[in-house]
Amino acid sequence: MISFYALTEELLVLLDTLGEKGISFSIFEQSKDSAIAKYLDSKKGFRQVLSDLSKEYSSLKLPKGYVAYDRDTIVKRIWQFFEEKKNCVLKASFGESGWGIYQFRLEDYSTLEVLSNMVGRVINSDTIWNFQEYIIEELIDIDVTISGGSPSVELFVSDSAVTITYSCE
């Protein structure tokens, strides 16, 4: 039995190579489609799954948010939060551990032009922003006593259900 943490293209190549060499093994996962894993590993995919789960589990909270694919839409959505007197966060869809996150606070941006310039600087500042799929979410207050304010959750996704396997708190 081979058990792995993440399904990647490289792992699929390894599994194929082992099979071609006649090595007998089994895997628990039912799908060998890395596109599914990549989608679920993205902020966009995670938001979709969490949105679906929150209908069944009322304790799951999902901040208001949007998906954007270009700078103009990012600016528009951030400005919408500002018009509601809310701060927000821009996330690269494939960011991790704080990489690919930028907070926008209403008091720092007096005009749409100032905001647009900063968004441009942010998305051109690092390769993490190159995937051109962005999430803009309401900035919510965090409880730093729970996992330093950034808890992590792992899900098991089968053909019939999504199950929370553990939550790091």
Side-chain angles (χ1 to χ4, degrees):
M1 169 70 78
I2 296 177
S3 178
F4 44 88
Y5 182 74
L7 181 65
T8 64
E9 290 295 329
E10 294 81 6
L11 177 63
L12 292 175
V13 168
L14 173 63
L15 295 176
D16 287 344
T17 302
L18 293 174
E20 290 168 4
K21 300 233 183 246
I23 298 171
S24 179
F25 64 91
S26 63
I27 61 173
F28 183 72
E29 285 69 13
Q30 297 178 10
S31 174
K32 288 179 81 180
D33 184 352
S34 66
I36 294 170
K38 186 173 182 178
Y39 178 73
L40 293 174
D41 197 34
S42 71
K43 301 283 188 283
K44 177 183 173 183
F46 184 80
R47 277 189 66 82
Q48 179 62 53
V49 170
L50 194 60
S51 176
D52 293 345
L53 281 173
S54 67
K55 294 170 187 156
E56 186 176 341
Y57 299 96
S58 60
S59 62
L60 293 175
K61 305 293 185 222
L62 184 65
K64 181 178 178 180
Y66 306 98
V67 178
Y69 300 94
D70 59 67
R71 176 180 170 171
D72 290 342
T73 307
I74 293 169
V75 171
K76 176 183 172 186
R77 294 301 191 183
I78 292 172
W79 200 255
Q80 279 182 267
F81 279 115
F82 288 175
E83 287 175 336
E84 297 170 9
K85 306 293 186 224
K86 295 178 180 177
N87 296 316
C88 61
V89 61
L90 174 64
K91 298 179 177 181
S93 196
F94 292 96
E96 59 181 85
S97 304
W99 182 35
I101 294 178
Y102 193 89
Q103 293 183 11
F104 287 89
R105 299 189 177 273
L106 173 61
E107 64 269 13
D108 296 333
Y109 302 94
S110 56
T111 68
L112 202 52
E113 181 181 0
V114 172
L115 174 62
S116 182
N117 289 337
M118 179 53 86
V119 168
R121 284 197 296 273
V122 169
I123 64 175
N124 290 310
S125 67
D126 194 289
T127 57
I128 194 64
W129 302 103
N130 291 353
F131 292 101
Q132 297 187 354
E133 185 174 88
Y134 313 98
I135 308 300
I136 303 97
E137 290 180 341
E138 178 180 357
L139 183 61
I140 57 174
D141 292 326
I142 59 171
D143 183 346
V144 294
T145 65
I146 300 173
S147 299
S150 184
S152 181
V153 65
E154 182 173 282
L155 307 173
F156 176 76
V157 181
S158 70
D159 290 338
S160 60
V162 177
T163 307
I164 299 172
T165 52
Y166 72 85
S167 176
C168 298
E169 294 184 10

